[in-house]
Amino acid sequence: MIQVQNLVGGKFVTTDEVFDDISPLDNSIIAKIPRTKNVDDVVEAAINAHSEWALLSIEQRCEWLDRIADSLQENIEEVARLEALDTGKPHEVAMNVDASRSVNNFRFFADFGRNLKSETFSMPDATNYVMRKPIGVVGLISPWNLPLYLLSWKIAPALLMGNCVIAKPSEITPLTAHFLGKLCTEIGLPDGVLNIVNGYGPEVGQAIVEHPDIKAISFTGGTATGKIVAATAAPMFKKLSLELGGKNASLVLDDADLDIAVPGVLRASFLNSGQICLCGSRVLVNASIYDDFLNRYLSELKNFNIGPVINVEHRNKVMSYIELAKEEGGEILAGGNVIDKAGAWIEPTVIGGLSHKSRTATEEIFGPVVTIHKFETDEEAIEMANCTSYGLAGSVWSKNKGRQVAEQIDSGMVWVNTWLHRDLRVPFGGVKDSGVGREGGLWSIGFFSEAVNICVMED
Ligand code: NAD
């Protein structure tokens, strides 16, 4: 049994009250998690550490990020093991998606920091110098689907820019954040620079967002929670980055190369049991190739290996959408059932025959459930892709028209003939109900610093 602890000012501590971390593979208890409600101590620890951390040069902080990356790399098998244990995902997904990207997040921002150019703007009689100052203490809140991948995506640029961090992993998947905390203390990261607190979102998450000395909040999670976070933080004028839900479309145009599109769309549909905010849960296919595409998609689905969903509560939510789909007139083309064993298993499910405006096709399900729809023209496909309140991501599969169609989709990111092909320098984030702000490369640097201008008059 793992005892998860909070990391506060370099010390591991717990709370009187703890709760269970349950395995989605078989419902066994795998860890005990502190139920933190108050963050005053941890904010004080972070404030105490801040002055020295902020005084380091950016090169020195880049060295720290590299040391964290080295330590994670040396322990990558353990990171993948813990992530697979906590989330139930297959080991190869935990290794190739979660663990390797967590290392890359630190490595990427170390390299990026070394190559940051100082900005100046010359006037005929003066020069403007742009300084990027640390914000201070920042709160980082993340979800359960890609636990360390998403938390380290925030921790690395926050530390790089000279901030001290209070990180809160999801209460459903705290193991890898706890492990990261251990590695950081082993390598001697100064006490209080990275703090990790555990507990329920409405308790410790809310306490972080409400605390007046935490000056910025980077939040990744559901749209409903994002609204609460925004309502709490906005009147305090905190910097706020919100990466929220999605209901992304994969558009298969009439000139798609099906040898690429079928495996690509399948991966976008079901990787991580469909529990990635970028997953393509609506598959839109040109009528002229619909039957061919569907036959090949359903046939390749039989060989696609997925794990359970995150827990039984979430499984019940996903199953309720499959029932709703039936009520809305949908036809189950594959799956549709709970897998009868302990844990939170559901068959990968494909549903046809629904209106693209139905609730099943427009609300975020966040599981291994895909609706498939037919369209006649590219204009119709674009209209269908844009008809939800979300606007996070999407993909277009086409030999000749991909970019042109992609530009008309109201989403923060669109891939053409690929999916989840990530360059960490590019802006990442959503439009509409999928969020506010961008992370990645310069956008993360901008968020985790205060840009100030010094205008010097020439003699
Ligand atoms: P969630 O919103 O329930 O929880 C996310 C985090 O917020 C957790 O750590 C939780 O404890 C915390 N939280 C809950 N209430 C809070 C409050 N009042 N104040 C502060 N923090 C609070 O989301 P989830 O179920 O963990 O994750 C799934 C959702 O995340 C999906 O909607 C998915 O689309 C979204 N997501 C978005 C992205 C993105 O980059 N846009 C990436 C991954 C997941």
Side-chain angles (χ1 to χ4, degrees), residues 141-146 150 168-172 199-207 209 219-226 228-229 242-246 276-278 364 366 392 428-430 434:
I141 300 175
S142 60
W144 47 258
N145 62 327
L146 298 167
L150 289 172
K168 191 204 104 50
S170 168
E171 59 271 40
I172 301 172
Y200 293 119
E203 295 178 351
V204 69
Q206 184 72 22
V209 180
F219 170 86
T220 300
T223 296
T225 318
I228 299 171
V229 171
L242 299 171
E243 303 285 350
L244 309 177
I276 300 181
C277 54
L278 307 167
E364 186 183 47
F366 214 57
L392 189 57
F428 180 102
S434 290

Side-chain angles (χ1 to χ4, degrees), residues 130-194:
V130 180
M131 274 183 78
R132 293 199 173 274
K133 289 189 176 175
I135 302 170
V137 178
V138 298
L140 313 180
I141 300 175
S142 60
W144 47 258
N145 62 327
L146 298 167
L148 192 60
Y149 173 131
L150 289 172
L151 198 54
S152 56
W153 177 236
K154 300 177 188 300
I155 293 173
L159 295 184
L160 172 67
M161 298 316 290
N163 305 289
C164 288
V165 162
I166 297 176
K168 191 204 104 50
S170 168
E171 59 271 40
I172 301 172
T173 53
L175 297 187
T176 45
H178 180 57
F179 187 60
L180 173 71
K182 280 190 178 168
L183 295 181
C184 287
T185 52
E186 272 172 33
I187 63 171
L189 185 72
D191 293 350
V193 167
L194 171 64

Side-chain angles (χ1 to χ4, degrees), residues 9-58:
K11 307 252 174 324
F12 283 99
V13 294
T14 192
T15 50
D16 294 341
E17 211 177 327
V18 295
F19 61 98
D20 296 337
D21 184 3
I22 310 273
S23 163
L25 291 167
D26 59 7
N27 292 338
S28 60
I29 299 172
I30 51 180
K32 294 284 179 187
I33 308 169
R35 184 171 174 184
T36 316
K37 296 179 186 172
N38 183 299
V39 293
D40 290 345
D41 288 359
V42 69
V43 173
E44 196 184 320
I47 290 173
N48 288 341
H50 184 247
S51 47
E52 279 192 34
W53 184 249
L55 276 182
L56 295 185
S57 66
I58 199 147

Side-chain angles (χ1 to χ4, degrees), residues 34 36 52 70 100 146 221 273-274 299 306 328 370 397:
T36 316
E52 279 192 34
D70 291 343
S100 58
L146 298 167
S273 301
S299 150
I306 65 169
E328 290 186 311
V370 158
W397 304 82

Side-chain angles (χ1 to χ4, degrees), residues 206-337:
Q206 184 72 22
I208 290 172
V209 180
E210 280 175 3
H211 201 291
D213 293 330
I214 299 179
K215 300 294 182 192
I217 302 289
S218 174
F219 170 86
T220 300
T223 296
T225 318
K227 282 184 189 168
I228 299 171
V229 171
T232 310
M236 302 170 82
F237 306 116
K238 295 191 182 202
K239 283 189 99 173
L240 201 51
S241 171
L242 299 171
E243 303 285 350
L244 309 177
K247 184 75 177 181
N248 313 300
S250 306
L251 287 69
V252 187
L253 306 189
D254 52 0
D255 66 341
D257 177 345
L258 294 193
D259 290 342
I260 298 172
V262 171
V265 172
L266 198 60
R267 185 167 162 268
S269 305
F270 294 110
L271 187 69
N272 211 38
S273 301
Q275 301 168 124
I276 300 181
C277 54
L278 307 167
C279 273
S281 51
R282 297 180 292 147
V283 180
L284 316 179
V285 188
N286 187 282
S288 65
I289 54 166
Y290 183 87
D291 290 342
D292 192 12
F293 177 89
L294 183 61
N295 285 336
R296 291 173 63 171
Y297 180 81
L298 293 180
S299 150
E300 289 192 23
L301 174 59
K302 294 190 184 108
N303 301 319
F304 201 94
N305 177 26
I306 65 169
V309 296
I310 194 64
N311 56 26
V312 169
E313 189 187 345
H314 190 54
R315 182 194 71 187
N316 294 344
K317 177 195 154 190
V318 175
M319 287 307 298
S320 76
Y321 271 102
I322 295 175
E323 289 310 311
L324 173 69
K326 292 178 194 161
E327 286 164 27
E328 290 186 311
E331 182 191 356
I332 307 296
L333 302 172
N337 301 302

